[in-house]
Amino acid sequence: MSELRAPIRVLPAAVAARIAAGEIVERPASVVKELVENALDAGARYVRVDVRGGGLGLIRVGDDGVGIRAAELWLACQRHATSKLAGDDLGGVQTLGFRGEALPSIAAVAELTLVSAPDEGGVGWKVTLRDGRVVADEPAPRTRGTTVSVRHLFQNVPARLAASARAQTEVAQIGQTVRRLALAAPHVRLALFSDRRLVLQTTGSGDLATTLVEVYGPALAGDLLPLGPVEAAGTRAWGVVGGPEVTRPGRNQVNLIVNGRWVQPRGLLAPLEAAYRPVLPRGRHPVLVLALETPPDRVDINVHPAKLEVRLLEERVIGAALGEVVRDALGRRPVSLRLPPAAGLDLLHRPDGLAEERGEWDDQGPIVTPYLPPLRLVGQVQARLLLLEGPAGLYLVDQHRAHERILFERLAAAHGVDAGPAPEPVALPEPLVLELRPAQVARFGRRLEDLADLGFQLEAFGGRTFLLRAAPSLPGVLPGAPDRSPEALIGVGEPDGLAATLVTLADEGAGEGEDWRERLLVQLACRTAVRRGRPLDRPAMRALVEGLGRTTTPAVCPHGSPLLMHVGDALLEKQFDWR
Ligand code: ADP
Ligand code: MG
């Protein structure tokens, strides 16, 4: 008997930490959630999430929040270390975090780097932990805010790595996580990039309807109905719900936000579902977001470590009120204008054939794209807006920003850091001369390599002069060479100002290399996109809308400004009193 019984020992600290970490960091998406929540707790107005390889290669979350002082960086990574609980009162917690477990848990299963600065001095501090040990502890350039990078996640936890091995699945989970966080923080500008591609972006408008459209797509915009505001048992609630036309087969897009936290309170979800079930098609669920505000001492957020389950006092009363609001809204469904079947609709089934066949079929046919509803082009207004008719109202598209968005995504796809070998640059008919100010020369010189990576072949010509000999081969980005090729739209670009853009950006050069590259792509797209004030012919307008409907975020330009406006049927009916 005795030889079967192993002696009892206390686990080595690193093993114990890894086991404990499992509660908090199950998969890449949970790391993203913890890091974004920290950024939100830090009062960030802008949060940028970058993931590579589904988060298993890299997860990086940057924010412009309050930052962490150099002396506290290491402490932030220790177990049960938090700045969010002053006393021992768990009841009054107003932050998303308070357990002080996220950073140490992540450090137990990955390499963790924090770069942070508490002020605008430009100098911050950097700490890297590998296997729980500090391997870097040094000053680093940083504007106010914090960037946390997580590398090699789960490489020391083979079982969890295997369970998370499919990058695509993880990217989907991360997307869902960030969407929920975005809905919970509509005032914050959030962007998610996966392998350098923009997956989603919100404008931080503060408006729930706008944010819902930004995270789930403009196809929704036609049918949104307001919910509340309503008050019950000391809790205020308001939100929006998609109309009966835009239901989903699962509950994934039913979002409840309690005091800024995305949660799944069973006690509220059940009455909500009971309320919409009779007014929606069988087995379907709405796209919905409801924000609840309740005194913090009336919620218990401490029920589940992942903090999704919460309990509210007087849940039954609140649940009943929410149910009523949702049933009311869905019951007053708007009359949706449906497109009459038109010539060319059969192209719906041949999405890839669209561009090529453009010239051959009726110009009046709807423009069908993956990310926008089918749209009929009405025309150009004020030489700066495209007017379109959709299934549920009118759409206005800012021609400049739309073109910018298209160019940016094409540029990022072709020239992003992880995009693979960039297409061959194209030599300019004659070199473009860049004349710099003396102070700019050294900084610009340091960027030549980066610029060459992007396809800008530059050469020092002595003194303050540089020559641009070749530029990226993307149509429309080539300065001075208007391209009348297949992509009609690109042919209307405005390439002048490119030289100025390159210089300005090299000038800004202080920031992190990869950020700089993205800024350059944004600037390039902006400078080469068709301007407002430029009349467009119908093929160009159609090309613009077709291109836009194939981008992943057709509602905001790369700067984060809105480019698509929907004037919904509900609004028209209200304005004209058509009921
Ligand atoms: P918690 O969020 O529960 O306090 P964490 O382990 O997530 O625990 O973070 C520990 C501490 O590190 C936080 O309390 C906060 O003081 C600091 N911190 C973490 N991330 C950030 C950030 N992005 N900006 C500012 N401070 C941060
Ligand atoms: Mg936290």
Side-chain angles (χ1 to χ4, degrees), residues 372-425:
L372 289 173
L375 294 169
R376 189 178 70 79
L377 175 67
V378 179
Q380 192 186 24
V381 197
Q382 298 180 326
R384 58 182 170 180
L385 289 170
L386 308 186
L387 177 60
L388 299 130
E389 180 187 345
L394 307 176
Y395 292 78
L396 288 169
V397 172
D398 179 320
Q399 66 187 38
H400 171 71
R401 289 183 186 160
H403 194 189
E404 234 182 336
R405 157 62 57 200
I406 298 166
L407 287 175
F408 172 72
E409 292 208 359
R410 290 189 187 167
L411 278 167
H415 298 288
V417 164
D418 290 344
E424 275 291 292

Side-chain angles (χ1 to χ4, degrees), residues 492-554:
V492 298
E494 319 260 355
D496 65 305
L498 176 62
T501 304
L502 292 179
V503 176
T504 319
L505 273 156
D507 229 13
E508 284 182 25
E512 212 175 304
E514 291 161 16
D515 265 20
W516 180 84
R517 184 189 284 251
E518 190 202 319
R519 284 209 304 276
L520 176 69
L521 296 183
V522 169
Q523 282 298 321
L524 274 179
C526 175
R527 298 287 178 127
T528 48
V530 59
R531 299 219 175 100
R532 284 185 279 270
R534 161 87 87 133
L536 297 177
D537 58 15
R538 288 187 69 90
M541 287 189 256
R542 290 189 68 98
L544 206 53
V545 178
E546 277 168 12
L548 184 64
R550 292 173 195 284
T551 62
T552 53
T553 314

Side-chain angles (χ1 to χ4, degrees), residues 339 342-355 361 364-377 388-389 391 542 545-550:
L339 274 183
L345 255 188
D346 57 324
L347 281 172
L348 255 176
H349 308 293
R350 288 182 278 150
D352 297 333
L354 260 185
W361 56 288
Q364 298 301 313
I367 303 169
V368 180
T369 56
Y371 293 112
L372 289 173
L375 294 169
R376 189 178 70 79
L377 175 67
L388 299 130
E389 180 187 345
R542 290 189 68 98
V545 178
E546 277 168 12
L548 184 64
R550 292 173 195 284

Side-chain angles (χ1 to χ4, degrees), residues 38-39 41-42 63 66-68 76 81-84 97-104 146:
N38 279 348
D41 280 346
D63 68 56
V66 294
I68 309 172
T82 178
S83 57
K84 302 171 191 175
F98 56 86
R99 296 158 186 266
E101 281 178 338
L103 293 183
T146 305

